[in-house]
Amino acid sequence: MVTENEIWDYMEEVYDPEVPVLTIVDLGIVRSITYQGECCKITITPTYSGCPAMKRIEEDVIQKLDEKGIGNVEVDLVLSPAWTTDWLSDSGRKKLKKYGIAPPENEVDKSVLFSEPTIVPCPKCDSKDTKLVSQFGSTACKAHYQCNHCLEPFDYFKCLK
Amino acid sequence: MNALFEYLLRLGDDSLILGHRLSEWCGHGPILEEDIAMTNLSLDLIGQATSFLKYAGEVEGKSRNEDDLAFLRFEREYKNLLLVERPNQNFGATMMRQFLFDAYRKLFFERLVHSTDSQLSAIAAKSLKETKYHLKHSSEWVIRLGDGTEESHEKMQSALDDLWKYSAELFYQDDVDEDLIENGIIPAVDAIKGEWDVLVRNVLEQATLIIPSNNWEQVGGRKGIHSEHLGYILAELQYMQRAYPGMKW
């Protein structure tokens, strides 16, 4: 008999296809797991509306549980409550930085135009002397920065609240 | 007619058609960062369209899913604003179109969050977070280019002159809206017109741009009466499903 806690552990083995150092639990997109009468129901939420990884994540969840001998799996996609970067786990933040992606910082009000961009420390050299290159980066969840100190360009996992 | 279904098409089609327009910039952006930015915006909008059209299919109850609704309807069945089907022209004109739309969308989603319909409220809460980024991006470009060089100013003013007549449709309301507003399912868009005016005029003023004095209002999209441009968009958008019905990859 598998417990729900064990299924949570299995989900720690499913990685985000776009940021492969993070598990879907680190990302905070697994919202609930229930296991009743041999039937497993997993609720996930997208980071962004158009996140192209959701279909792949759903398939990966089903495949992972199949490997663990759980065949009857239902993956539900819910939009509410809407995902926020606050749900990113502490270990997830550390893994991001190690991978070269700056973790989300608390950001200024987006209604202020031409506001000073958020100070994002460089994930390579920790310098705070960095500049925003573009608010939109290689995936929907990232912005593009560059370090003025070590000159390294880097991704920033942008704050979404 | 099912009013909620009809209304969901309006919301979904706005997102789908504008998302498609932005996707046309892929590989053609003026600089790499903006090429990526516009395709990011496109992805958010197509994601929102998926949510709205999926829900529309459920509400309709005729087993049509979001793909059926996006790929297998004819031009007159599309209910998007005329504004979002306007051609991209130059980068400045694309940003002007985006700005007029984003300003409306942000104010609209802020109210739709309080919908008595939990699914609409959930889609709005999700989309609002993305739309705030979009509005900041488009507002800053409108100001930067409007108050930029002589040439950029001229292009922005010409874009505003062209697009302004389509902005009235953002606040179009008819019998589809009535019941939905009464039941608290959707906000009354005419109520956000004042706030939109303040927001838009403030940015345009900083951009040193002048709102055209000609107040002709061109509407039609909400009733399925489109400009010649939508047909070309659909020809490209729907080609695969029309040529190879039911194909998957």
Side-chain angles (χ1 to χ4, degrees), chain A residues 46-50 80 82-83 107 110 112 114-115 136-137 139-140 159 161, chain B residues 33 36-37 40-41 43-44 47 122-123 126 129-130 133 136-137 139-140 143-144:
Chain A
T47 52
Y48 282 75
S49 295
S80 178
W83 183 81
E107 280 185 16
K110 281 186 279 293
V112 182
F114 299 105
S115 53
F136 299 90
T139 66
C159 177
K161 290 198 184 210
Chain B
E33 286 75 14
I36 293 169
N40 263 256
L41 302 175
L43 193 61
D44 284 345
I123 299 171
K126 181 90 213 145
K129 295 183 181 193
E130 297 156 2
Y133 272 109
K136 184 172 165 63
H137 175 255
S139 306
E140 290 180 352
I143 296 171
R144 199 178 284 128

PDB file of all heavy atoms in Angstrom, chain A residues 46-50 80 82-83 107 110 112 114-115 136-137 139-140 159 161, chain B residues 33 36-37 40-41 43-44 47 122-123 126 129-130 133 136-137 139-140 143-144:
ATOM      1  N   PRO A  46      -0.066  25.691 -13.559  1.00  0.00           N
ATOM      2  CA  PRO A  46       1.006  26.204 -14.420  1.00  0.00           C
ATOM      3  C   PRO A  46       1.678  27.434 -13.827  1.00  0.00           C
ATOM      4  O   PRO A  46       1.053  28.176 -13.067  1.00  0.00           O
ATOM      5  CB  PRO A  46       0.272  26.568 -15.711  1.00  0.00           C
ATOM      6  CG  PRO A  46      -1.130  26.844 -15.306  1.00  0.00           C
ATOM      7  CD  PRO A  46      -1.407  25.999 -14.095  1.00  0.00           C
ATOM      8  N   THR A  47       2.955  27.648 -14.168  1.00  0.00           N
ATOM      9  CA  THR A  47       3.642  28.870 -13.734  1.00  0.00           C
ATOM     10  C   THR A  47       3.067  30.054 -14.516  1.00  0.00           C
ATOM     11  O   THR A  47       2.658  31.041 -13.950  1.00  0.00           O
ATOM     12  CB  THR A  47       5.154  28.766 -13.996  1.00  0.00           C
ATOM     13  OG1 THR A  47       5.358  28.391 -15.350  1.00  0.00           O
ATOM     14  CG2 THR A  47       5.796  27.749 -13.082  1.00  0.00           C
ATOM     15  N   TYR A  48       3.042  29.935 -15.846  1.00  0.00           N
ATOM     16  CA  TYR A  48       2.451  30.967 -16.718  1.00  0.00           C
ATOM     17  C   TYR A  48       1.367  30.298 -17.567  1.00  0.00           C
ATOM     18  O   TYR A  48       1.465  29.100 -17.859  1.00  0.00           O
ATOM     19  CB  TYR A  48       3.515  31.591 -17.625  1.00  0.00           C
ATOM     20  CG  TYR A  48       4.363  32.609 -16.902  1.00  0.00           C
ATOM     21  CD1 TYR A  48       5.342  32.205 -16.014  1.00  0.00           C
ATOM     22  CD2 TYR A  48       4.152  33.969 -17.078  1.00  0.00           C
ATOM     23  CE1 TYR A  48       6.110  33.139 -15.312  1.00  0.00           C
ATOM     24  CE2 TYR A  48       4.912  34.912 -16.387  1.00  0.00           C
ATOM     25  CZ  TYR A  48       5.881  34.485 -15.507  1.00  0.00           C
ATOM     26  OH  TYR A  48       6.629  35.411 -14.818  1.00  0.00           O
ATOM     27  N   SER A  49       0.367  31.099 -17.987  1.00  0.00           N
ATOM     28  CA  SER A  49      -0.769  30.559 -18.752  1.00  0.00           C
ATOM     29  C   SER A  49      -0.320  29.726 -19.948  1.00  0.00           C
ATOM     30  O   SER A  49      -0.892  28.699 -20.253  1.00  0.00           O
ATOM     31  CB  SER A  49      -1.644  31.687 -19.298  1.00  0.00           C
ATOM     32  OG  SER A  49      -2.240  32.386 -18.256  1.00  0.00           O
ATOM     33  N   GLY A  50       0.726  30.236 -20.626  1.00  0.00           N
ATOM     34  CA  GLY A  50       1.122  29.555 -21.862  1.00  0.00           C
ATOM     35  C   GLY A  50       2.316  28.643 -21.687  1.00  0.00           C
ATOM     36  O   GLY A  50       2.960  28.303 -22.667  1.00  0.00           O
ATOM     37  N   SER A  80      -6.412  28.084 -10.075  1.00  0.00           N
ATOM     38  CA  SER A  80      -6.605  28.860  -8.862  1.00  0.00           C
ATOM     39  C   SER A  80      -6.303  28.029  -7.616  1.00  0.00           C
ATOM     40  O   SER A  80      -6.708  26.870  -7.554  1.00  0.00           O
ATOM     41  CB  SER A  80      -8.052  29.354  -8.801  1.00  0.00           C
ATOM     42  OG  SER A  80      -8.276  30.059  -7.623  1.00  0.00           O
ATOM     43  N   ALA A  82      -3.623  31.143  -8.181  1.00  0.00           N
ATOM     44  CA  ALA A  82      -2.605  31.294  -9.209  1.00  0.00           C
ATOM     45  C   ALA A  82      -1.200  31.176  -8.625  1.00  0.00           C
ATOM     46  O   ALA A  82      -0.922  31.706  -7.551  1.00  0.00           O
ATOM     47  CB  ALA A  82      -2.763  32.638  -9.911  1.00  0.00           C
ATOM     48  N   TRP A  83      -0.346  30.496  -9.353  1.00  0.00           N
ATOM     49  CA  TRP A  83       1.029  30.254  -8.922  1.00  0.00           C
ATOM     50  C   TRP A  83       1.773  31.562  -8.656  1.00  0.00           C
ATOM     51  O   TRP A  83       1.562  32.562  -9.340  1.00  0.00           O
ATOM     52  CB  TRP A  83       1.762  29.457 -10.013  1.00  0.00           C
ATOM     53  CG  TRP A  83       3.169  29.084  -9.673  1.00  0.00           C
ATOM     54  CD1 TRP A  83       3.572  28.036  -8.899  1.00  0.00           C
ATOM     55  CD2 TRP A  83       4.361  29.752 -10.117  1.00  0.00           C
ATOM     56  NE1 TRP A  83       4.946  28.010  -8.842  1.00  0.00           N
ATOM     57  CE2 TRP A  83       5.453  29.050  -9.572  1.00  0.00           C
ATOM     58  CE3 TRP A  83       4.610  30.867 -10.911  1.00  0.00           C
ATOM     59  CZ2 TRP A  83       6.778  29.428  -9.796  1.00  0.00           C
ATOM     60  CZ3 TRP A  83       5.926  31.249 -11.137  1.00  0.00           C
ATOM     61  CH2 TRP A  83       6.994  30.532 -10.582  1.00  0.00           C
ATOM     62  N   GLU A 107      10.110  42.326  -5.920  1.00  0.00           N
ATOM     63  CA  GLU A 107      10.237  43.357  -6.939  1.00  0.00           C
ATOM     64  C   GLU A 107       9.408  44.597  -6.657  1.00  0.00           C
ATOM     65  O   GLU A 107       8.421  44.544  -5.944  1.00  0.00           O
ATOM     66  CB  GLU A 107       9.863  42.788  -8.301  1.00  0.00           C
ATOM     67  CG  GLU A 107      11.003  41.997  -8.882  1.00  0.00           C
ATOM     68  CD  GLU A 107      10.734  41.500 -10.284  1.00  0.00           C
ATOM     69  OE1 GLU A 107       9.815  42.000 -10.943  1.00  0.00           O
ATOM     70  OE2 GLU A 107      11.465  40.591 -10.708  1.00  0.00           O
ATOM     71  N   LYS A 110       5.023  47.191 -10.453  1.00  0.00           N
ATOM     72  CA  LYS A 110       5.125  47.236 -11.911  1.00  0.00           C
ATOM     73  C   LYS A 110       4.358  48.408 -12.525  1.00  0.00           C
ATOM     74  O   LYS A 110       4.500  48.683 -13.708  1.00  0.00           O
ATOM     75  CB  LYS A 110       4.635  45.918 -12.524  1.00  0.00           C
ATOM     76  CG  LYS A 110       5.697  44.829 -12.434  1.00  0.00           C
ATOM     77  CD  LYS A 110       5.282  43.579 -13.157  1.00  0.00           C
ATOM     78  CE  LYS A 110       4.361  42.709 -12.352  1.00  0.00           C
ATOM     79  NZ  LYS A 110       4.965  42.105 -11.167  1.00  0.00           N
ATOM     80  N   VAL A 112       4.922  51.413 -11.811  1.00  0.00           N
ATOM     81  CA  VAL A 112       5.862  52.529 -11.955  1.00  0.00           C
ATOM     82  C   VAL A 112       6.678  52.319 -13.228  1.00  0.00           C
ATOM     83  O   VAL A 112       7.456  51.378 -13.342  1.00  0.00           O
ATOM     84  CB  VAL A 112       6.812  52.616 -10.741  1.00  0.00           C
ATOM     85  CG1 VAL A 112       7.739  53.809 -10.883  1.00  0.00           C
ATOM     86  CG2 VAL A 112       6.013  52.696  -9.456  1.00  0.00           C
ATOM     87  N   PHE A 114       9.508  52.929 -16.055  1.00  0.00           N
ATOM     88  CA  PHE A 114      10.936  53.255 -16.022  1.00  0.00           C
ATOM     89  C   PHE A 114      11.492  53.221 -14.597  1.00  0.00           C
ATOM     90  O   PHE A 114      12.379  53.993 -14.249  1.00  0.00           O
ATOM     91  CB  PHE A 114      11.202  54.638 -16.655  1.00  0.00           C
ATOM     92  CG  PHE A 114      10.785  54.707 -18.094  1.00  0.00           C
ATOM     93  CD1 PHE A 114       9.639  55.387 -18.478  1.00  0.00           C
ATOM     94  CD2 PHE A 114      11.541  54.078 -19.075  1.00  0.00           C
ATOM     95  CE1 PHE A 114       9.254  55.446 -19.812  1.00  0.00           C
ATOM     96  CE2 PHE A 114      11.167  54.137 -20.407  1.00  0.00           C
ATOM     97  CZ  PHE A 114      10.019  54.819 -20.784  1.00  0.00           C
ATOM     98  N   SER A 115      10.926  52.368 -13.756  1.00  0.00           N
ATOM     99  CA  SER A 115      11.436  52.263 -12.387  1.00  0.00           C
ATOM    100  C   SER A 115      12.837  51.657 -12.439  1.00  0.00           C
ATOM    101  O   SER A 115      13.195  50.980 -13.391  1.00  0.00           O
ATOM    102  CB  SER A 115      10.514  51.370 -11.567  1.00  0.00           C
ATOM    103  OG  SER A 115      10.320  50.138 -12.231  1.00  0.00           O
ATOM    104  N   PHE A 136      11.924  40.056 -20.618  1.00  0.00           N
ATOM    105  CA  PHE A 136      11.467  38.771 -21.138  1.00  0.00           C
ATOM    106  C   PHE A 136      12.674  37.966 -21.593  1.00  0.00           C
ATOM    107  O   PHE A 136      13.455  38.430 -22.409  1.00  0.00           O
ATOM    108  CB  PHE A 136      10.485  38.990 -22.296  1.00  0.00           C
ATOM    109  CG  PHE A 136       9.264  39.754 -21.870  1.00  0.00           C
ATOM    110  CD1 PHE A 136       9.223  41.127 -21.924  1.00  0.00           C
ATOM    111  CD2 PHE A 136       8.155  39.079 -21.372  1.00  0.00           C
ATOM    112  CE1 PHE A 136       8.105  41.835 -21.513  1.00  0.00           C
ATOM    113  CE2 PHE A 136       7.030  39.776 -20.952  1.00  0.00           C
ATOM    114  CZ  PHE A 136       7.004  41.162 -21.025  1.00  0.00           C
ATOM    115  N   GLY A 137      12.822  36.773 -21.035  1.00  0.00           N
ATOM    116  CA  GLY A 137      14.023  35.983 -21.315  1.00  0.00           C
ATOM    117  C   GLY A 137      13.747  34.712 -22.091  1.00  0.00           C
ATOM    118  O   GLY A 137      12.798  34.625 -22.859  1.00  0.00           O
ATOM    119  N   THR A 139      12.645  31.812 -21.337  1.00  0.00           N
ATOM    120  CA  THR A 139      11.332  31.179 -21.144  1.00  0.00           C
ATOM    121  C   THR A 139      10.427  32.215 -20.484  1.00  0.00           C
ATOM    122  O   THR A 139      10.911  33.251 -20.006  1.00  0.00           O
ATOM    123  CB  THR A 139      11.387  29.929 -20.230  1.00  0.00           C
ATOM    124  OG1 THR A 139      11.759  30.356 -18.916  1.00  0.00           O
ATOM    125  CG2 THR A 139      12.391  28.901 -20.724  1.00  0.00           C
ATOM    126  N   ALA A 140       9.128  31.913 -20.425  1.00  0.00           N
ATOM    127  CA  ALA A 140       8.160  32.873 -19.885  1.00  0.00           C
ATOM    128  C   ALA A 140       8.507  33.291 -18.456  1.00  0.00           C
ATOM    129  O   ALA A 140       8.224  34.412 -18.045  1.00  0.00           O
ATOM    130  CB  ALA A 140       6.760  32.275 -19.937  1.00  0.00           C
ATOM    131  N   CYS A 159      10.168  37.511 -10.523  1.00  0.00           N
ATOM    132  CA  CYS A 159       9.165  37.483  -9.465  1.00  0.00           C
ATOM    133  C   CYS A 159       7.758  37.549 -10.062  1.00  0.00           C
ATOM    134  O   CYS A 159       7.474  38.401 -10.891  1.00  0.00           O
ATOM    135  CB  CYS A 159       9.412  38.689  -8.572  1.00  0.00           C
ATOM    136  SG  CYS A 159       8.233  38.897  -7.266  1.00  0.00           S
ATOM    137  N   LYS A 161       3.874  37.705  -8.657  1.00  0.00           N
ATOM    138  CA  LYS A 161       2.978  37.729  -7.491  1.00  0.00           C
ATOM    139  C   LYS A 161       1.583  38.128  -7.907  1.00  0.00           C
ATOM    140  O   LYS A 161       1.413  38.810  -8.878  1.00  0.00           O
ATOM    141  CB  LYS A 161       3.501  38.720  -6.463  1.00  0.00           C
ATOM    142  CG  LYS A 161       4.762  38.216  -5.819  1.00  0.00           C
ATOM    143  CD  LYS A 161       5.026  38.954  -4.525  1.00  0.00           C
ATOM    144  CE  LYS A 161       6.350  38.490  -3.950  1.00  0.00           C
ATOM    145  NZ  LYS A 161       6.438  38.534  -2.532  1.00  0.00           N
TER     146      LYS A 161
ATOM    147  N   GLU B  33      16.400  40.929 -28.168  1.00  0.00           N
ATOM    148  CA  GLU B  33      15.652  40.964 -26.904  1.00  0.00           C
ATOM    149  C   GLU B  33      14.173  41.218 -27.141  1.00  0.00           C
ATOM    150  O   GLU B  33      13.318  40.657 -26.455  1.00  0.00           O
ATOM    151  CB  GLU B  33      16.215  42.056 -25.974  1.00  0.00           C
ATOM    152  CG  GLU B  33      17.543  41.720 -25.329  1.00  0.00           C
ATOM    153  CD  GLU B  33      18.714  41.815 -26.294  1.00  0.00           C
ATOM    154  OE1 GLU B  33      18.542  42.394 -27.397  1.00  0.00           O
ATOM    155  OE2 GLU B  33      19.795  41.302 -25.969  1.00  0.00           O
ATOM    156  N   ILE B  36      12.402  38.196 -28.647  1.00  0.00           N
ATOM    157  CA  ILE B  36      12.074  37.240 -27.576  1.00  0.00           C
ATOM    158  C   ILE B  36      10.915  37.765 -26.722  1.00  0.00           C
ATOM    159  O   ILE B  36      10.023  37.012 -26.337  1.00  0.00           O
ATOM    160  CB  ILE B  36      13.319  36.956 -26.711  1.00  0.00           C
ATOM    161  CG1 ILE B  36      14.369  36.212 -27.549  1.00  0.00           C
ATOM    162  CG2 ILE B  36      12.966  36.166 -25.468  1.00  0.00           C
ATOM    163  CD1 ILE B  36      15.719  36.107 -26.878  1.00  0.00           C
ATOM    164  N   ALA B  37      10.934  39.067 -26.439  1.00  0.00           N
ATOM    165  CA  ALA B  37       9.861  39.650 -25.623  1.00  0.00           C
ATOM    166  C   ALA B  37       8.507  39.453 -26.298  1.00  0.00           C
ATOM    167  O   ALA B  37       7.533  39.025 -25.670  1.00  0.00           O
ATOM    168  CB  ALA B  37      10.122  41.133 -25.377  1.00  0.00           C
ATOM    169  N   ASN B  40       7.336  35.996 -26.109  1.00  0.00           N
ATOM    170  CA  ASN B  40       6.893  35.721 -24.729  1.00  0.00           C
ATOM    171  C   ASN B  40       5.466  36.218 -24.506  1.00  0.00           C
ATOM    172  O   ASN B  40       4.632  35.526 -23.916  1.00  0.00           O
ATOM    173  CB  ASN B  40       7.799  36.441 -23.720  1.00  0.00           C
ATOM    174  CG  ASN B  40       8.899  35.565 -23.155  1.00  0.00           C
ATOM    175  OD1 ASN B  40       8.815  35.123 -22.023  1.00  0.00           O
ATOM    176  ND2 ASN B  40       9.926  35.307 -23.940  1.00  0.00           N
ATOM    177  N   LEU B  41       5.204  37.445 -24.973  1.00  0.00           N
ATOM    178  CA  LEU B  41       3.859  38.021 -24.840  1.00  0.00           C
ATOM    179  C   LEU B  41       2.869  37.120 -25.580  1.00  0.00           C
ATOM    180  O   LEU B  41       1.778  36.819 -25.098  1.00  0.00           O
ATOM    181  CB  LEU B  41       3.775  39.419 -25.463  1.00  0.00           C
ATOM    182  CG  LEU B  41       4.718  40.515 -24.962  1.00  0.00           C
ATOM    183  CD1 LEU B  41       4.533  41.770 -25.808  1.00  0.00           C
ATOM    184  CD2 LEU B  41       4.441  40.845 -23.513  1.00  0.00           C
ATOM    185  N   LEU B  43       3.105  33.987 -26.223  1.00  0.00           N
ATOM    186  CA  LEU B  43       2.901  32.725 -25.503  1.00  0.00           C
ATOM    187  C   LEU B  43       1.907  32.905 -24.354  1.00  0.00           C
ATOM    188  O   LEU B  43       1.010  32.076 -24.159  1.00  0.00           O
ATOM    189  CB  LEU B  43       4.255  32.257 -24.966  1.00  0.00           C
ATOM    190  CG  LEU B  43       4.360  30.829 -24.459  1.00  0.00           C
ATOM    191  CD1 LEU B  43       4.044  29.841 -25.561  1.00  0.00           C
ATOM    192  CD2 LEU B  43       5.777  30.573 -23.933  1.00  0.00           C
ATOM    193  N   ASP B  44       2.047  33.990 -23.615  1.00  0.00           N
ATOM    194  CA  ASP B  44       1.095  34.270 -22.524  1.00  0.00           C
ATOM    195  C   ASP B  44      -0.326  34.384 -23.088  1.00  0.00           C
ATOM    196  O   ASP B  44      -1.278  33.828 -22.543  1.00  0.00           O
ATOM    197  CB  ASP B  44       1.435  35.596 -21.819  1.00  0.00           C
ATOM    198  CG  ASP B  44       2.631  35.471 -20.880  1.00  0.00           C
ATOM    199  OD1 ASP B  44       3.020  34.344 -20.539  1.00  0.00           O
ATOM    200  OD2 ASP B  44       3.176  36.523 -20.479  1.00  0.00           O
ATOM    201  N   GLY B  47      -1.724  31.148 -24.226  1.00  0.00           N
ATOM    202  CA  GLY B  47      -2.072  30.378 -23.028  1.00  0.00           C
ATOM    203  C   GLY B  47      -3.414  30.829 -22.452  1.00  0.00           C
ATOM    204  O   GLY B  47      -4.260  30.013 -22.071  1.00  0.00           O
ATOM    205  N   ALA B 122     -10.587  32.553 -11.725  1.00  0.00           N
ATOM    206  CA  ALA B 122      -9.275  31.899 -11.692  1.00  0.00           C
ATOM    207  C   ALA B 122      -8.434  32.278 -12.910  1.00  0.00           C
ATOM    208  O   ALA B 122      -7.246  32.591 -12.790  1.00  0.00           O
ATOM    209  CB  ALA B 122      -9.441  30.380 -11.641  1.00  0.00           C
ATOM    210  N   ILE B 123      -9.057  32.293 -14.092  1.00  0.00           N
ATOM    211  CA  ILE B 123      -8.316  32.657 -15.310  1.00  0.00           C
ATOM    212  C   ILE B 123      -7.858  34.116 -15.211  1.00  0.00           C
ATOM    213  O   ILE B 123      -6.738  34.461 -15.576  1.00  0.00           O
ATOM    214  CB  ILE B 123      -9.180  32.455 -16.592  1.00  0.00           C
ATOM    215  CG1 ILE B 123      -9.588  30.989 -16.744  1.00  0.00           C
ATOM    216  CG2 ILE B 123      -8.409  32.907 -17.845  1.00  0.00           C
ATOM    217  CD1 ILE B 123     -10.613  30.727 -17.861  1.00  0.00           C
ATOM    218  N   LYS B 126      -4.861  34.571 -12.807  1.00  0.00           N
ATOM    219  CA  LYS B 126      -3.650  34.063 -13.455  1.00  0.00           C
ATOM    220  C   LYS B 126      -3.153  35.064 -14.513  1.00  0.00           C
ATOM    221  O   LYS B 126      -1.978  35.412 -14.556  1.00  0.00           O
ATOM    222  CB  LYS B 126      -4.011  32.730 -14.123  1.00  0.00           C
ATOM    223  CG  LYS B 126      -2.896  32.025 -14.818  1.00  0.00           C
ATOM    224  CD  LYS B 126      -2.180  31.094 -13.880  1.00  0.00           C
ATOM    225  CE  LYS B 126      -0.729  30.993 -14.214  1.00  0.00           C
ATOM    226  NZ  LYS B 126       0.111  30.839 -13.050  1.00  0.00           N
ATOM    227  N   LYS B 129      -1.525  38.728 -13.544  1.00  0.00           N
ATOM    228  CA  LYS B 129      -0.096  38.798 -13.192  1.00  0.00           C
ATOM    229  C   LYS B 129       0.759  38.969 -14.435  1.00  0.00           C
ATOM    230  O   LYS B 129       1.746  39.696 -14.430  1.00  0.00           O
ATOM    231  CB  LYS B 129       0.321  37.507 -12.474  1.00  0.00           C
ATOM    232  CG  LYS B 129      -0.353  37.307 -11.145  1.00  0.00           C
ATOM    233  CD  LYS B 129       0.154  36.052 -10.469  1.00  0.00           C
ATOM    234  CE  LYS B 129      -0.547  35.833  -9.149  1.00  0.00           C
ATOM    235  NZ  LYS B 129       0.113  34.814  -8.323  1.00  0.00           N
ATOM    236  N   GLU B 130       0.392  38.275 -15.503  1.00  0.00           N
ATOM    237  CA  GLU B 130       1.160  38.364 -16.751  1.00  0.00           C
ATOM    238  C   GLU B 130       0.933  39.710 -17.430  1.00  0.00           C
ATOM    239  O   GLU B 130       1.859  40.334 -17.948  1.00  0.00           O
ATOM    240  CB  GLU B 130       0.736  37.223 -17.690  1.00  0.00           C
ATOM    241  CG  GLU B 130       1.044  35.847 -17.118  1.00  0.00           C
ATOM    242  CD  GLU B 130       0.185  34.723 -17.670  1.00  0.00           C
ATOM    243  OE1 GLU B 130      -0.663  34.948 -18.548  1.00  0.00           O
ATOM    244  OE2 GLU B 130       0.364  33.588 -17.196  1.00  0.00           O
ATOM    245  N   TYR B 133       3.048  42.768 -16.505  1.00  0.00           N
ATOM    246  CA  TYR B 133       4.347  42.822 -17.195  1.00  0.00           C
ATOM    247  C   TYR B 133       4.181  43.364 -18.619  1.00  0.00           C
ATOM    248  O   TYR B 133       4.983  44.140 -19.113  1.00  0.00           O
ATOM    249  CB  TYR B 133       4.987  41.424 -17.279  1.00  0.00           C
ATOM    250  CG  TYR B 133       5.832  41.054 -16.087  1.00  0.00           C
ATOM    251  CD1 TYR B 133       5.420  40.089 -15.183  1.00  0.00           C
ATOM    252  CD2 TYR B 133       7.059  41.674 -15.876  1.00  0.00           C
ATOM    253  CE1 TYR B 133       6.205  39.744 -14.087  1.00  0.00           C
ATOM    254  CE2 TYR B 133       7.851  41.332 -14.792  1.00  0.00           C
ATOM    255  CZ  TYR B 133       7.419  40.359 -13.893  1.00  0.00           C
ATOM    256  OH  TYR B 133       8.203  40.029 -12.826  1.00  0.00           O
ATOM    257  N   LYS B 136       3.551  47.222 -18.606  1.00  0.00           N
ATOM    258  CA  LYS B 136       4.765  47.983 -18.286  1.00  0.00           C
ATOM    259  C   LYS B 136       5.666  48.050 -19.528  1.00  0.00           C
ATOM    260  O   LYS B 136       6.169  49.105 -19.886  1.00  0.00           O
ATOM    261  CB  LYS B 136       5.504  47.319 -17.116  1.00  0.00           C
ATOM    262  CG  LYS B 136       6.730  48.069 -16.642  1.00  0.00           C
ATOM    263  CD  LYS B 136       7.267  47.429 -15.370  1.00  0.00           C
ATOM    264  CE  LYS B 136       8.680  47.876 -15.011  1.00  0.00           C
ATOM    265  NZ  LYS B 136       8.817  49.306 -14.724  1.00  0.00           N
ATOM    266  N   HIS B 137       5.816  46.911 -20.173  1.00  0.00           N
ATOM    267  CA  HIS B 137       6.661  46.814 -21.365  1.00  0.00           C
ATOM    268  C   HIS B 137       6.151  47.723 -22.488  1.00  0.00           C
ATOM    269  O   HIS B 137       6.894  48.538 -23.039  1.00  0.00           O
ATOM    270  CB  HIS B 137       6.699  45.345 -21.799  1.00  0.00           C
ATOM    271  CG  HIS B 137       7.433  45.079 -23.077  1.00  0.00           C
ATOM    272  ND1 HIS B 137       6.783  44.799 -24.245  1.00  0.00           N
ATOM    273  CD2 HIS B 137       8.756  45.044 -23.363  1.00  0.00           C
ATOM    274  CE1 HIS B 137       7.681  44.603 -25.196  1.00  0.00           C
ATOM    275  NE2 HIS B 137       8.888  44.735 -24.695  1.00  0.00           N
ATOM    276  N   SER B 139       3.933  50.253 -22.346  1.00  0.00           N
ATOM    277  CA  SER B 139       3.885  51.673 -21.953  1.00  0.00           C
ATOM    278  C   SER B 139       5.251  52.313 -22.125  1.00  0.00           C
ATOM    279  O   SER B 139       5.380  53.420 -22.650  1.00  0.00           O
ATOM    280  CB  SER B 139       3.500  51.852 -20.487  1.00  0.00           C
ATOM    281  OG  SER B 139       2.318  51.193 -20.185  1.00  0.00           O
ATOM    282  N   GLU B 140       6.278  51.617 -21.644  1.00  0.00           N
ATOM    283  CA  GLU B 140       7.626  52.192 -21.704  1.00  0.00           C
ATOM    284  C   GLU B 140       8.080  52.395 -23.145  1.00  0.00           C
ATOM    285  O   GLU B 140       8.722  53.393 -23.465  1.00  0.00           O
ATOM    286  CB  GLU B 140       8.616  51.310 -20.931  1.00  0.00           C
ATOM    287  CG  GLU B 140       8.367  51.383 -19.425  1.00  0.00           C
ATOM    288  CD  GLU B 140       9.316  50.525 -18.583  1.00  0.00           C
ATOM    289  OE1 GLU B 140      10.098  49.731 -19.159  1.00  0.00           O
ATOM    290  OE2 GLU B 140       9.274  50.641 -17.353  1.00  0.00           O
ATOM    291  N   ILE B 143       6.327  55.490 -24.678  1.00  0.00           N
ATOM    292  CA  ILE B 143       6.962  56.737 -24.230  1.00  0.00           C
ATOM    293  C   ILE B 143       8.341  56.912 -24.870  1.00  0.00           C
ATOM    294  O   ILE B 143       8.669  57.968 -25.407  1.00  0.00           O
ATOM    295  CB  ILE B 143       7.075  56.759 -22.681  1.00  0.00           C
ATOM    296  CG1 ILE B 143       5.674  56.762 -22.068  1.00  0.00           C
ATOM    297  CG2 ILE B 143       7.882  57.972 -22.218  1.00  0.00           C
ATOM    298  CD1 ILE B 143       5.641  56.564 -20.572  1.00  0.00           C
ATOM    299  N   ARG B 144       9.129  55.858 -24.842  1.00  0.00           N
ATOM    300  CA  ARG B 144      10.496  55.931 -25.368  1.00  0.00           C
ATOM    301  C   ARG B 144      10.503  56.316 -26.856  1.00  0.00           C
ATOM    302  O   ARG B 144      11.291  57.138 -27.291  1.00  0.00           O
ATOM    303  CB  ARG B 144      11.154  54.562 -25.170  1.00  0.00           C
ATOM    304  CG  ARG B 144      12.653  54.570 -25.227  1.00  0.00           C
ATOM    305  CD  ARG B 144      13.194  53.170 -24.967  1.00  0.00           C
ATOM    306  NE  ARG B 144      13.159  52.776 -23.579  1.00  0.00           N
ATOM    307  CZ  ARG B 144      12.622  51.640 -23.105  1.00  0.00           C
ATOM    308  NH1 ARG B 144      12.054  50.794 -23.920  1.00  0.00           N
ATOM    309  NH2 ARG B 144      12.647  51.356 -21.830  1.00  0.00           N
TER     310      ARG B 144
END
